[in-house]
Amino acid sequence: MDKRYEVYALADGHFYDTPDRLAAEGTQEAAPLFAAAGRPVPEGWHTARGGDWLTFTPVDADGAPEPSPAQGWKIHSTATRENAERIAAAVWDYCVPRRIPFKFVPGPHLLHLRNAKYAGRDTSGKFVTVYPADERQLQTVLGELGDLLKGCEGPYILTDLRWEEGPLYVRYGAFARRFVVDERGTLVPAVENGEGVLVPDRRAPSFQVPEWVTLPEFLRPQLAARAATTVGDLPYRIEKALHFSNGGGVYSGTDTRDGSRVVLKEARPHAGLASDGADAVARLERERDALRRVAGTGVVPEVRDWFTLGEHRFLVMDFVEGKPLNSFFAHRHPLLGPDPDPEEVRAYTAWALRVHRAVEDAVEKVHAHGIVFNDLHVFNIIVAPDDESVSLIDFEAAAPVEENGRQTVAHPGFFAPPDRRGVDVDRYALACLRLALFLPVTTLFVVDRGKAAHLADVVAEQFPDVPRTFLDEAVAEITKGARTSLGPAGPVRPGDWPHSRDSMVEAILASATPQRDDRLFPGDIAQFSDGGGLGLAHGAAGVLYALAESGAAPYDEGERWLLDHTAPPPPGTPLGLYDGLAGVAHVLDRLGHRQRALDLTAGILRENWRNLSSDLHGGLAGLGLVLGHLGRTSGERELTDRSAEAAEILVRRLAEPVPDGAPRRRAGLMRGWTGPALFLVRRYEETGDGRFLAAAREALGRDLDRCVERDGGLEVDEGWRTLPYLGDGSAGIGLVLDDWLAHGPDGTGRFEAARSAILTASSSRFYAQPGLLQGRAGMVLHLGRTTAPDADPARTDRQIDGLGWLAMDYRGRLAFPGHQMMRLSMDLATGTAGCLLALASVLEPGRGAHLPFLPPPPAAHECGTVT
């Protein structure tokens, strides 16, 4: 579970959105601001709101910003909700008369989110930023402003060096927005090194001084103080970090006094805030007290120690043997293959029912000792080595039964509605667990609890030995008090073409917000990064592309929005096919706006594009494809030549030996060597030069080297998981294998065997998400497109039917949830537009709907359809 998504799920009940759009709780009014944010703008100053920040810049008589350095030592101030008003006012009163640029987080709700449990650790605690002109002013501001703010507390800023004992911190970094392509080929914020060359501005959650920068002498005592706190005197040897959050870390280790295994849990003061305002320390105290109260029950870890180190609190507990319940899905769930063995389904059903009964018993023991767990989910349930008995861990949200309180921290798939209090919170989670053990997609309930009834029907169909009363009781508990029970998006199923097409198109258009500048269609949280609202994967270009490919009527207002927002594009917009300007150019050309497409590619070629990564998503492979296509259609020789140059660069990179100790490369269509292979196959088709086909074979072989067999299928091995998906998994490799094999066998049979095994991986009965690049829609597209001789149209039909398991309702129309399944998405990579494109490619094959540069290969088989 990617915890970043929880913050983006707060502002809107249907879609991911930026936290700055969060309304005041229980109202439709804008959330309150700090008093300093409402002050009149002083004469000679310019102010602007950007995301979480309110920025103040001194300007000259003509309104232009006064000269200031592009980088240097910046000052941050931390804050709590209690002292934020004082700090904001003090910074304003100090900086404005001295004409020092500054910015601050303008409202208490945004400050809370910056310091919440799963906020980014690289931005946590940063409430104010001040931009001194030089080191002399840096020292002056630290001394004078530091004196003004003495006694103010706040969370520690992990990226910075603390100034004395107050709320001020310092870090060297960029002031101006400048960008550079990093060693991974990604466009990132930049600073100049000692030779005047732009390099990445590193923002890891630890204090670092760039190698060309000298730490000012007056900061050296602060660095020494930071280094003075160590774990060397503890009676525990920390061996491994198990988990990090903004509230602190969780570590496994050994008690050196007796050799027993322990877990140490860390809490940072004022950080890791829950919805009730409790920080990580308060929650760790709750966990300590709750565990002591239920000690001896045999279903929780025993408390061993409690101490403070460098202002951080630590709870030490006995290590619980076993594995978290969620880990069993990948190895045991019978729907992870194409044709589940009925005996395995029965065995899994019996095991899951036993485990649920054991969890119920454990929760009853906790309740009997006067404690509500308040955070029951599959990651907090440990199944013992005997494979049946369980323990409960992570009691930081626990509370006494007599408080009869609401839930404040929870996994989204088990988060009780506001009307559940006390032990009813745990009962709701137990009901969700009944369904999650068989279909682990209960995060859908945060969008619509009525979906529980449909999922229960799917469980009953796929696991016939599950007692119907077991499911019906769960549905009744989950939907109790719900205002709606809409079920699976009304009468329209994904396979009901063209009705499903029309319904999805209407849902997409109903979600559009052409009045906004940051995005046109709601989608993944990635659209709120630089340029993300424009691109093919998560932005307007991808949705407009899917609409056009599926035969929807032109959306003129959407095209105008994309044209308006690329004249010019925002600074820092990535350059690639799926993440940036190359993809936007391709779509605009597809929609008839060739001159804008040529303007955008001209801008790309003015950048250091040759240093981009090799991949399709944001690198040379995708850019080369776009340049070549535009060169052919426009007659612009420069574009054709640059496309040819990109291909030669990729051939050279493939010929270079991989150095020992090189980082493990990703595999797959989007970020592996398969994307370059696609470009090189297309280059071979244009030129007839066999070098490109040979290089494509080498590229595909490298990605196949990263694959492993799993249950008869071939999947990409990422070291900690295996992936079958179209974007970063084996299905995307299968797409390009089809295209390569259209030109003849590889001579070894490896590609044919791999293609067959990838079909198996693309035919599983269960996938956790519907999206095109990381879910079931990608399997629909691949199975419907492949030319493999053993392809079975019935498999495609089953995947389309399975897509309906995750279908949702949006204003009475068919829509799909996005990544992490907590909100709907309309984008191409994760949401409804991608599902629309995949279904169009299969259910209306005569239209030829396809991903860019991946049309149906020659001799494609006739695909099955669902009626």
Side-chain angles (χ1 to χ4, degrees):
M1 176 63 66
D2 188 335
K3 295 294 185 178
R4 295 177 302 159
Y5 284 78
E6 293 188 31
V7 174
Y8 286 86
L10 295 173
D12 188 283
H14 284 106
F15 303 112
Y16 295 119
D17 211 336
T18 52
D20 58 298
R21 291 183 173 268
L22 186 67
E25 184 176 0
T27 76
Q28 297 299 314
E29 302 295 326
L33 300 177
F34 295 121
R39 290 186 183 183
V41 180
E43 185 176 353
W45 284 79
H46 172 74
T47 184
R49 178 73 181 269
D52 290 356
W53 293 104
L54 184 62
T55 302
F56 293 84
T57 307
V59 295
D60 61 22
D62 296 324
E66 292 183 353
S68 62
Q71 63 192 55
W73 289 98
K74 61 179 73 174
I75 299 171
H76 290 117
S77 177
T78 186
T80 66
R81 188 182 183 104
E82 292 72 26
N83 62 31
E85 287 276 16
R86 172 189 167 187
I87 292 174
V91 170
W92 173 295
D93 293 339
Y94 182 85
C95 289
V96 168
R98 295 164 178 82
R99 303 189 68 75
I100 302 173
F102 67 99
K103 64 182 181 181
F104 65 92
V105 176
H109 64 297
L110 294 174
L111 176 62
H112 176 94
L113 293 176
R114 277 186 163 263
N115 295 332
K117 181 176 181 181
Y118 288 106
R121 299 172 70 234
D122 58 337
T123 59
S124 174
K126 296 175 183 177
F127 172 57
V128 170
T129 308
V130 178
Y131 300 97
D134 50 36
E135 290 186 8
R136 178 179 296 178
Q137 190 173 65
L138 169 72
Q139 184 174 13
T140 300
V141 174
L142 286 172
E144 295 177 350
L145 189 58
D147 287 343
L148 292 172
L149 298 178
K150 275 185 178 177
C152 291
E153 297 183 319
Y156 201 99
I157 299 176
L158 298 173
T159 59
D160 290 25
L161 180 64
R162 189 176 188 180
W163 175 254
E164 297 183 344
E165 300 299 320
L168 299 185
Y169 294 75
V170 295
R171 170 186 175 270
Y172 189 95
F175 290 9
R177 286 171 58 84
R178 296 188 292 178
F179 299 88
V180 68
V181 177
D182 69 6
E183 65 275 7
R184 300 183 63 184
T186 303
L187 203 65
V188 296
V191 292
E192 283 186 16
N193 66 13
E195 299 174 351
V197 177
L198 288 178
V199 296
D201 182 9
R202 306 293 183 186
R203 302 183 181 186
S206 61
F207 177 65
Q208 300 174 353
V209 180
E211 59 184 18
W212 68 91
V213 175
T214 300
L215 185 73
E217 196 63 34
F218 60 85
L219 292 179
R220 293 192 179 279
Q222 322 303 321
L223 185 62
R226 179 187 177 103
T229 300
T230 69
V231 298
D233 295 332
L234 296 178
Y236 307 103
R237 182 173 63 251
I238 296 176
E239 294 161 347
K240 182 180 179 181
L242 302 176
H243 173 69
F244 283 111
S245 75
N246 190 32
V250 181
Y251 312 90
S252 64
T254 298
D255 189 327
T256 57
R257 294 167 296 191
D258 59 12
S260 57
R261 298 180 70 188
V262 295
V263 170
L264 297 90
K265 194 166 185 178
E266 173 192 27
R268 299 174 54 217
H270 309 297
L273 304 181
S275 61
D276 62 353
D279 69 359
V281 172
R283 292 202 314 278
L284 196 62
E285 290 172 343
R286 290 178 188 171
E287 180 163 15
R288 175 199 62 193
D289 295 344
L291 289 176
R292 287 173 173 171
R293 193 162 172 176
V294 298
T297 57
V299 296
V300 301
E302 298 294 323
V303 173
R304 181 176 288 247
D305 200 356
W306 172 263
F307 63 88
T308 301
L309 179 67
E311 298 184 10
H312 293 196
R313 303 292 194 278
F314 285 83
L315 174 66
V316 186
M317 300 165 282
D318 289 343
F319 184 88
V320 177
E321 296 289 345
K323 296 187 295 185
L325 180 55
N326 71 293
S327 68
F328 285 81
F329 294 132
H331 304 290
R332 177 169 252 156
H333 201 285
L335 301 191
L336 297 181
D339 299 300
D341 183 330
E343 191 56 43
E344 290 183 3
V345 173
R346 282 192 288 272
Y348 178 85
T349 300
W351 174 82
L353 293 174
R354 290 196 303 272
V355 167
H356 191 273
R357 180 65 255 176
V359 174
E360 285 185 323
D361 290 344
V363 171
E364 288 173 4
K365 288 181 180 179
V366 170
H367 289 176
H369 283 68
I371 292 294
V372 179
F373 189 13
N374 267 333
D375 196 16
L376 179 70
H377 58 78
V378 293
F379 293 83
N380 284 350
I381 299 167
I382 301 295
V383 181
D386 66 11
D387 211 26
E388 293 194 4
S389 55
V390 301
S391 296
L392 307 178
I393 62 169
D394 200 356
F395 274 70
E396 65 178 36
V401 169
E402 59 269 20
E403 290 184 3
N404 198 37
R406 286 171 53 180
Q407 208 166 18
T408 57
V409 175
H411 185 288
F414 297 79
F415 200 0
D419 63 333
R420 311 301 168 90
R421 292 178 172 272
V423 294
D424 286 343
V425 170
D426 289 347
R427 290 176 181 143
Y428 179 88
L430 285 167
C432 291
L433 183 62
R434 292 191 181 200
L435 299 181
L437 280 164
F438 300 96
L439 287 181
V441 294
T442 54
T443 47
L444 294 175
F445 300 162
V446 300
V447 180
D448 176 19
R449 281 187 280 148
K451 186 67 177 177
H454 180 221
L455 294 184
D457 290 341
V458 175
V459 172
E461 178 185 8
Q462 300 296 320
F463 298 88
D465 291 338
V466 177
R468 189 68 217 199
T469 55
F470 181 85
L471 300 172
D472 291 343
E473 290 170 359
V475 171
E477 179 63 39
I478 292 165
T479 59
K480 183 172 61 180
R483 293 184 179 180
T484 60
S485 295
L486 297 175
V492 180
R493 296 178 301 133
D496 289 340
W497 198 266
H499 303 297
S500 57
R501 176 195 62 195
D502 297 341
S503 189
M504 284 183 282
V505 169
E506 290 171 7
I508 289 169
L509 296 181
S511 75
T513 54
Q515 72 278 7
R516 289 179 59 162
D517 287 324
D518 57 342
R519 56 107 157 134
L520 175 59
F521 301 101
D524 190 74
I525 67 173
Q527 66 181 189
F528 300 115
S529 302
D530 287 317
L534 302 177
L536 191 64
H538 304 296
V543 179
L544 294 174
Y545 178 86
L547 292 173
E549 287 290 304
S550 64
Y555 178 39
D556 294 337
E557 189 174 17
E559 293 181 31
R560 285 196 300 271
W561 187 95
L562 190 56
L563 289 167
D564 290 343
H565 288 80
T566 52
T573 302
L575 308 180
L577 173 57
Y578 278 87
D579 67 349
L581 296 179
V584 176
H586 182 67
V587 173
L588 286 173
D589 183 61
R590 163 77 172 78
L591 298 174
H593 305 288
R594 177 158 298 162
Q595 187 54 53
R596 178 57 54 79
L598 292 173
D599 292 343
L600 291 176
T601 53
I604 294 170
L605 294 177
R606 287 193 292 270
E607 301 291 339
N608 194 10
W609 60 272
R610 294 174 182 85
N611 284 351
L612 288 172
S613 61
S614 300
D615 63 47
L616 185 71
H617 186 267
L620 280 179
L623 177 59
L625 285 163
V626 172
L627 294 174
H629 175 77
L630 268 175
R632 290 189 299 276
T633 57
S634 69
E636 294 284 343
R637 182 60 183 267
E638 169 73 7
L639 302 183
T640 303
D641 290 346
R642 298 291 75 76
S643 176
E645 183 181 358
E648 295 295 342
I649 292 172
L650 290 175
V651 171
R652 289 199 299 271
R653 289 180 182 178
L654 279 163
E656 295 170 356
V658 179
D660 293 337
R664 183 185 181 95
R665 289 187 61 90
R666 298 179 71 173
L669 179 66
M670 288 293 130
R671 295 177 177 85
W673 276 111
T674 298
L678 171 64
F679 176 34
L680 294 169
V681 168
R682 296 288 173 259
R683 187 73 181 145
Y684 165 75
E685 292 167 346
E686 295 164 21
T687 66
D689 188 340
R691 292 185 306 122
F692 296 120
L693 197 61
R697 176 172 55 198
E698 168 67 20
L700 286 167
R702 290 190 182 185
D703 273 6
L704 290 177
D705 289 342
R706 289 286 316 281
C707 293
V708 295
E709 184 177 331
R710 184 177 180 277
D711 299 326
L714 197 67
E715 300 186 2
V716 169
D717 181 9
E718 291 203 325
W720 62 285
R721 62 178 179 177
T722 63
L723 296 178
Y725 300 119
L726 189 144
D728 296 317
S730 55
I733 301 173
L735 289 176
V736 182
L737 284 175
D738 278 323
D739 287 32
W740 197 98
L741 288 167
H743 300 288
D746 70 318
T748 66
R750 184 189 189 193
F751 283 8
E752 290 88 346
R755 177 167 66 167
S756 179
I758 289 170
L759 283 183
T760 300
S762 303
S763 305
S764 294
R765 192 65 60 88
F766 174 75
Y767 296 99
Q769 300 189 122
L772 182 64
L773 297 189
Q774 292 180 291
R776 196 185 288 268
M779 306 311 178
V780 172
L781 188 144
H782 173 50
L783 292 173
R785 180 186 185 274
T786 185
T787 56
D790 53 342
D792 181 359
R795 290 186 175 186
T796 312
D797 296 345
R798 283 197 294 269
Q799 291 304 324
I800 294 173
D801 182 63
L803 196 58
W805 298 359
L806 303 177
M808 301 291 285
D809 177 279
Y810 178 65
R811 297 187 180 180
R813 299 294 183 262
L814 175 61
F816 289 91
H819 195 51
Q820 301 296 312
M821 307 276 282
M822 290 187 285
R823 290 293 184 267
L824 304 179
S825 170
M826 298 299 174
D827 72 26
L828 182 73
T830 71
T832 306
C835 295
L836 173 65
L837 180 67
L839 292 167
S841 73
V842 172
L843 299 178
E844 197 173 350
R847 176 168 293 282
H850 62 278
L851 279 171
F853 310 106
L854 278 163
H861 73 281
E862 290 295 320
C863 300
T865 60
V866 176
T867 58

